[in-house]
Amino acid sequence: MKLLQKKRKRMIKAAAVLCLAVGFSIGSLAAAYGGGRPDLYQNKNLLMEPVTYIGPGAETGIQETANVSDPIEDQELKGVWISYLEWNTLPKTEQEFKQAADAMLNHCIDWGMNAVFLHAHSHTDAAYPSEFLPWSKFVSGVQGQNPGFDPFGYFVEAAHERGLKIHAWFNPYRVTGYLMSWDEVSEQSLVKQWLMDGTAENDRWVLKQENEYYLNPSVLQVRELVAASVREVLEKYDVDGIHFDDYFYPSVDDNREDAWFDKPEYDLSGSVLPIAEWRRENVNQLVSLVYRTVKEVKPSAVFGISPQGYLGNLRSNTSMFIDIDHWMESEGYVDYIMPQLYWGFEAMTSERMPAEFAFGQNLESWISLKKKGNVTLYLGLGMYRAGTDVKDNNEVSEWLRYQDIIKRQVDAGRASGQVSGFCFFSYSSFLEETSANEVANLIPVLKDR
């Protein structure tokens, strides 16, 4: 991509203007803009009818095959997510922050990790000094408040000093959510300016759905804003990859005006596609744009997405609108996919039948899809569930009865010959008393290669 050659349209309020085209520079963007899990965990638990009984040491039903070469790296990925929830607990003063970050990264080395996936942009904000996004509340304590140093930059340098790869993690459309209310959104934020600048043209670039705010995926300028934030991180920092989580479209109901989200844009678009396919195409355009941006700025960096782990949910026509089959079968979207396989081996449906999304069957489904293209398959695994009473429709939760579920999931992934690595949600879970035995069983497996 080249720098934008056509003139950007000027809107009435310069500080709230957004008229971007593919490949603009960060400097021009700043000038145009004028400046400067309950929620998370619930998304990991979206289907709480999360599979067949498979006890410790039992066969998974996945046939072992010869190892397949990894198109993006030879070394098995062993990563951990460090989310905005962890950012929120870190000290806000520079020296104490650096000491805490060092301790976190040292833990990652001790656990056998070789990569960290660190939130750079969780709520249309920045964990680094951005030219157009406000500082993250979770970094400085107040959205828009400068902490006086570059915490994300320090993490990048400190990770590389230890031989850890670092991937910048983005939630593309989220504005508010768990621990982040609309009242806390900074006056510096573009999304607040769009709704308060008296200009009708940009009022629907951010939408409210079920009391939370999201960027509107159907808007070109929104997609380019997300791509610009990716470009900014790649230009500022020597990150090894760009990583998206599963926050795409919220759940929608096209029969209710208060829940139909971007249906008015669809009605005005004149599209001949069914509305669900139109929404998938909106997400496809963002993903394709980000992929091109990554490869332009840093060809050696990888771009991947960690969607919810059950393909039946991903193919829904009422939420997310992730075109997973197209991404996995096509070039130019993602280098890797990292489904969140957060269910155990024994999960049942509410009718107490083996669930399709339990780990063994679910992994087989993902491997079958992987074989249709050239996308690398990593597995996202849920350490946060270890030792807890996960509702899996067993009389006693599998996660309370076994202390080696994550270890066996890694073994199964390796045995398949189709899985190139693993990432664990999340860093804090490795320090919980409830997960201590599970962690102790996992670490030797991580360190054995």
Side-chain angles (χ1 to χ4, degrees), residues 46-352:
L46 257 171
L47 189 58
M48 287 316 302
E49 290 186 356
V51 90
T52 342
Y53 180 85
I54 302 179
E59 296 296 325
T60 64
I62 301 168
Q63 286 195 333
E64 185 167 352
T65 62
N67 285 333
V68 177
S69 63
D70 187 337
I72 56 178
E73 62 177 303
D74 294 328
Q75 185 183 32
E76 178 183 80
L77 176 75
K78 294 174 287 190
V80 63
W81 276 292
I82 299 177
S83 79
Y84 75 92
L85 299 175
E86 275 97 11
W87 277 115
N88 197 46
T89 66
L90 288 171
K92 307 308 180 192
T93 59
E94 182 172 5
Q95 192 58 39
E96 291 179 334
F97 170 85
K98 290 180 176 179
Q99 292 173 354
D102 287 342
M104 293 176 75
L105 295 172
N106 289 341
H107 277 139
C108 292
I109 294 293
D110 292 342
W111 296 333
M113 304 297 177
N114 57 26
V116 294
F117 290 74
L118 179 67
H119 248 144
H121 169 142
S122 66
H123 293 78
T124 314
D125 54 7
Y128 58 91
S130 171
E131 296 187 43
F132 54 92
L133 294 175
W135 277 101
S136 169
K137 162 194 169 179
F138 305 103
V139 168
S140 66
V142 177
Q143 191 179 87
Q145 179 174 295
N146 188 337
F149 65 104
D150 183 354
F152 186 84
Y154 182 78
F155 255 119
V156 173
E157 293 178 5
H160 284 163
E161 286 173 0
R162 291 162 172 79
L164 291 165
K165 293 190 174 182
I166 188 160
H167 298 248
W169 173 10
F170 294 73
N171 295 129
Y173 298 129
R174 182 170 58 184
V175 176
T176 65
Y178 180 59
L179 296 183
M180 187 71 206
S181 68
W182 180 251
D183 289 343
E184 294 176 295
V185 175
S186 170
E187 299 299 322
Q188 303 171 23
S189 173
L190 293 168
V191 295
K192 188 158 277 190
Q193 293 174 19
W194 295 341
L195 295 184
M196 299 175 65
D197 64 359
T199 302
E201 186 171 351
N202 55 12
D203 285 353
R204 289 189 54 79
W205 292 3
V206 58
L207 301 175
K208 187 177 183 181
Q209 185 83 345
E210 300 296 334
N211 296 316
E212 300 296 351
Y213 287 83
Y214 303 83
L215 299 181
N216 185 339
S218 70
V219 174
L220 171 65
Q221 291 89 340
V222 160
R223 296 193 292 269
E224 291 172 338
L225 170 63
V226 176
S229 66
V230 168
R231 175 182 290 273
E232 182 175 52
V233 167
L234 288 166
E235 290 179 345
K236 281 178 174 283
Y237 305 105
D238 186 25
V239 295
D240 300 284
I242 298 297
H243 179 77
F244 276 14
D245 200 353
D246 53 357
Y247 284 90
F248 291 97
Y249 271 84
S251 295
V252 300
D253 183 346
D254 292 326
N255 296 313
R256 290 172 40 209
E257 183 175 355
D258 64 338
W260 65 26
F261 199 58
D262 61 350
K263 184 176 181 295
E265 280 69 32
Y266 172 74
D267 292 339
L268 289 171
S269 71
S271 175
V272 298
L273 294 173
I275 190 168
E277 293 305 313
W278 176 81
R279 286 172 171 145
R280 287 189 184 93
E281 184 56 27
N282 289 333
V283 176
N284 284 346
Q285 288 184 36
L286 171 70
V287 172
S288 175
L289 174 58
V290 170
Y291 182 89
R292 297 196 308 272
T293 301
V294 172
K295 299 311 174 184
E296 177 199 346
V297 180
K298 188 178 181 182
S300 64
V302 295
F303 173 49
I305 294 174
S306 180
Q308 189 195 141
Y310 177 47
L311 286 167
N313 280 0
L314 293 187
R315 293 165 176 152
S316 165
N317 285 333
T318 60
S319 66
M320 292 180 285
F321 301 97
I322 290 174
D323 201 350
I324 189 63
D325 297 275
H326 187 56
W327 297 352
M328 295 294 284
E329 296 171 8
S330 308
E331 301 291 333
Y333 289 92
V334 293
D335 293 303
Y336 70 83
I337 205 78
M338 186 187 287
Q340 298 166 19
L341 272 58
Y342 290 167
W343 300 278
F345 291 94
E346 300 180 12
M348 300 284 179
T349 68
S350 57
E351 292 79 23
R352 297 196 51 81

Side-chain angles (χ1 to χ4, degrees), residues 111 382-388 399 402-404 406 425-443:
W111 296 333
M383 182 59 77
Y384 76 100
R385 291 190 156 192
T388 67
W399 296 89
Y402 305 122
Q403 299 175 342
D404 66 344
I406 303 294
F425 190 84
S426 65
Y427 170 87
S428 297
S429 301
F430 279 74
L431 303 174
E432 296 289 345
E433 184 176 350
T434 50
S435 64
N437 291 327
E438 189 83 52
V439 169
N441 285 321
L442 173 65
I443 287 176

